[in-house]
Amino acid sequence: MGLFDDNFYSTKVTRRARKEKMREMPFRFGRTGNWSSLRIAAVSSLASAIVAVLLFTLVTGAGFGSNRSNGNHAMPVAATSGLSNDPLERTIQASAKVRPAVVSIINEQSVSGQLGLDDETDNPDDNPLEEAGVGSGVIYAKAKGKALVITNYHVVANADKVKAVLLSGETREAKVVGKDQISDLAVLEIDGKGIDTVAEIGDSSKLRQAEWVIAIGNPLGLGDSISMGIVSKTRRTIPVSLNQDGVYDWEMEVIQIDASINQGNSGGPLIDLNGRVVGINSMKIADFGVEGVGFAIPINDVMPIVEKLREKGKIARPYLGIYSIDLEQHRKQQKWLIEGEEETDEEAEVEGSDDLDEETIRVPDDVSEGIIVLEAVGPAKRAGLKFSDLIVKLDKQDVGSTLELRKYLYSEKKIGDSVEVTFYRNGEKMTTKLKLEERTDEEE
């Protein structure tokens, strides 16, 4: 079992003291070493004044908020913002500023769909809907009478209907404008009537470790709720399982925080003490004995994707055209089948992999990593790739897993580019070239 359980990526409800060393003041004594009472009094007064200023700074946070050019402050104070210098009061003001723009998201699905029944021939309107998951969102813009909401992809995934609950308790129908599984982001649209508050977008690049942040959302479906903590790490790369099958097939760049994040917080805003959104709360580590490890997508990464989703409804990425299983994962499955051990999520059978065996793929002894083709479609099929082919390189880049394959395609290639695929078929090393295409709706 990996570090991250599948549950952490779900919307369902489950389970200073600092010691300072004193330094000598750089005063030069007279030759006799004796000071007059007047000079002693003057120095004492000066020292007292300095101590008083330092104490005031530590207690109120003033001084950390001076507007330096880089904007990186543990507790920033914007003199023109009207915010108090009192940390407690600023926390209250910052959350009050954003809360009206935070909504609870309800994912409703048909009963048959939740049970995994085949209802393709049924009219979806005839199937009763039930609440399948809850999450959060934040209103970031208004346009043409509509309010636009940012949330997570996994909050609205597989929804037959989505609803948004305002701070007032009013429920409104929500339309999914666009969504993207790779970035785990989605944009919703609701009726903007009566909505006067739009969240202010901040700058996540100015965050510093130990800076105070506030998470607002709908944990466990309880509604409007606030938690507070610090930035544990401004940038961390973590592996995720997009299909929640225990196999890591993508990596996300996130902000690590120790503010409480629970199922239902997903999609809600992470804000700084100026009341600006610096991240979208996305996930946590859900494992026994783990506390205070949550993650948010940096807002500077969020907004470019959100604008594309608003414009086109999806993010176009280069598409190879294969359904696959990693060689390592396949071998774990075979070991489980042979030894009869208890199956884990990482060894869960992938559809189509039961027809594979070592004789079928005939992997050379010196090859330990690769991606086994279960089905080739689109560009891969036209290039001649077939079932059981073992892909080991794209161009001159080794790819030992689906994660590595995606990272190469999405970071180094674009739609319309050609790529050379090196693979093994029946133990023989072969190459083919194909042109990367945009994935169609039918292939989603």
Side-chain angles (χ1 to χ4, degrees):
M1 177 63 67
L3 178 61
F4 300 99
D5 286 342
D6 289 340
N7 288 340
F8 89 106
Y9 208 47
S10 170
T11 61
K12 296 188 177 180
V13 177
T14 58
R15 195 200 99 87
R16 143 173 11 167
R18 182 180 68 179
K19 184 178 181 180
E20 186 176 310
K21 183 179 180 181
M22 298 299 293
R23 297 179 179 178
E24 292 184 359
M25 297 291 289
F27 292 114
R28 296 181 63 87
F29 291 92
R31 292 186 180 183
T32 62
N34 296 322
W35 278 21
S36 67
S37 299
L38 180 60
R39 294 176 68 184
I40 293 174
V43 171
S44 298
S45 298
L46 178 61
S48 298
I50 292 173
V51 171
V53 170
L54 288 174
L55 287 174
F56 179 82
T57 299
L58 290 172
V59 171
T60 65
F64 290 98
S66 58
N67 291 322
R68 289 177 283 185
S69 60
N70 62 7
N72 294 333
H73 323 302
M75 295 181 66
V77 175
T80 59
S81 68
L83 292 173
S84 170
N85 285 348
D86 178 6
L88 176 60
E89 188 63 28
R90 292 190 62 205
T91 300
I92 296 171
Q93 290 179 357
S95 59
K97 176 181 175 181
V98 181
R99 284 175 56 221
V102 180
V103 297
S104 298
I105 305 298
I106 301 175
N107 178 324
E108 294 186 342
Q109 298 176 17
S110 66
V111 175
S112 57
Q114 292 183 61
L115 295 176
L117 302 178
D118 183 6
D119 61 347
E120 293 182 358
T121 58
D122 296 337
N123 183 349
D125 294 333
D126 295 335
N127 296 322
L129 298 178
E130 287 189 357
E131 182 179 304
V134 295
S136 306
V138 59
I139 300 169
Y140 78 99
K142 287 187 66 178
K144 299 180 181 180
K146 301 293 183 180
L148 295 168
V149 179
I150 302 173
T151 188
N152 286 136
Y153 171 92
H154 72 266
V155 169
V156 298
N158 304 314
D160 291 305
K161 183 177 289 188
V162 179
K163 294 180 179 179
V165 183
L166 307 181
L167 181 62
S168 64
E170 179 187 352
T171 300
R172 298 188 181 184
E173 298 288 335
K175 173 187 175 182
V176 178
V177 175
K179 57 184 179 179
D180 178 55
Q181 185 179 21
I182 297 294
S183 64
D184 192 29
L185 292 171
V187 176
L188 311 180
E189 183 182 84
I190 61 175
D191 184 2
K193 183 178 180 180
I195 295 177
D196 302 317
T197 303
V198 171
E200 182 181 357
I201 302 302
D203 185 349
S204 55
S205 71
K206 294 182 178 180
L207 286 173
R208 294 201 317 182
Q209 285 185 234
E211 178 174 346
W212 289 100
V213 286
I214 304 168
I216 308 177
N218 175 33
L220 308 180
L222 297 174
D224 176 42
S225 183
I226 300 169
S227 61
M228 186 174 180
I230 62 169
V231 174
S232 303
K233 187 76 173 177
T234 58
R235 202 81 176 182
R236 189 176 294 285
T237 302
I238 62 170
V240 295
S241 175
L242 296 175
N243 299 318
Q244 299 188 43
D245 58 2
V247 178
Y248 299 143
D249 44 19
W250 187 239
E251 290 181 337
M252 293 186 68
E253 298 290 329
V254 294
I255 304 165
Q256 181 184 330
I257 59 176
D258 74 345
S260 296
I261 300 293
N262 292 287
Q263 281 80 14
N265 274 117
S266 291
L270 181 73
I271 68 172
D272 60 19
L273 294 192
N274 287 316
R276 298 169 182 153
V277 180
V278 293
I280 298 298
N281 302 316
S282 182
M283 46 191 141
K284 65 176 292 185
I285 295 180
D287 202 358
F288 180 77
V290 178
E291 296 291 343
V293 184
F295 303 100
I297 307 171
I299 200 65
N300 289 18
D301 294 347
V302 170
M303 296 313 296
I305 293 172
V306 161
E307 292 308 314
K308 289 180 181 178
L309 291 176
R310 181 178 176 181
E311 179 183 353
K312 297 183 178 181
K314 63 180 181 179
I315 303 298
R317 294 187 176 90
Y319 177 57
L320 189 65
I322 62 168
Y323 296 94
S324 63
I325 182 174
D326 294 351
L327 177 60
E328 181 182 12
Q329 183 189 5
H330 169 63
R331 284 176 167 170
K332 285 182 178 180
Q333 287 184 5
Q334 294 302 304
K335 179 181 178 181
W336 168 72
L337 289 171
I338 294 171
E339 298 180 0
E341 296 177 352
E342 184 177 353
E343 180 181 17
T344 68
D345 288 337
E346 289 187 0
E347 296 155 358
E349 186 173 319
V350 176
E351 185 177 354
S353 64
D354 52 344
D355 295 327
L356 292 171
D357 54 45
E358 293 300 314
E359 186 62 29
T360 303
I361 57 178
R362 294 182 61 185
V363 181
D365 294 338
D366 60 343
V367 176
S368 59
E369 294 183 321
I371 302 112
I372 305 172
V373 177
L374 298 179
E375 182 182 359
V377 298
K381 184 176 182 179
R382 288 190 287 275
L385 289 173
K386 297 180 180 180
F387 171 79
S388 81
D389 286 347
L390 179 66
I391 299 174
V392 294
K393 284 187 179 183
L394 294 182
D395 295 329
K396 303 302 180 182
Q397 177 69 46
D398 291 335
V399 287
S401 65
T402 302
L403 190 156
E404 292 179 356
L405 181 145
R406 280 199 175 105
K407 288 182 67 176
Y408 180 77
L409 288 178
Y410 299 166
S411 62
E412 303 295 333
K413 294 291 184 176
K414 59 181 182 294
I415 296 169
D417 284 353
S418 294
V419 62
E420 182 180 78
V421 181
T422 302
F423 62 98
Y424 285 92
R425 177 180 294 168
N426 299 321
E428 181 183 352
K429 193 173 185 178
M430 305 175 70
T431 62
T432 186
K433 279 193 174 183
L434 58 84
K435 186 176 181 179
L436 298 170
E437 300 178 2
E438 180 178 348
R439 188 169 184 165
T440 65
D441 294 336
E442 289 75 16
E443 294 166 330
E444 293 289 343

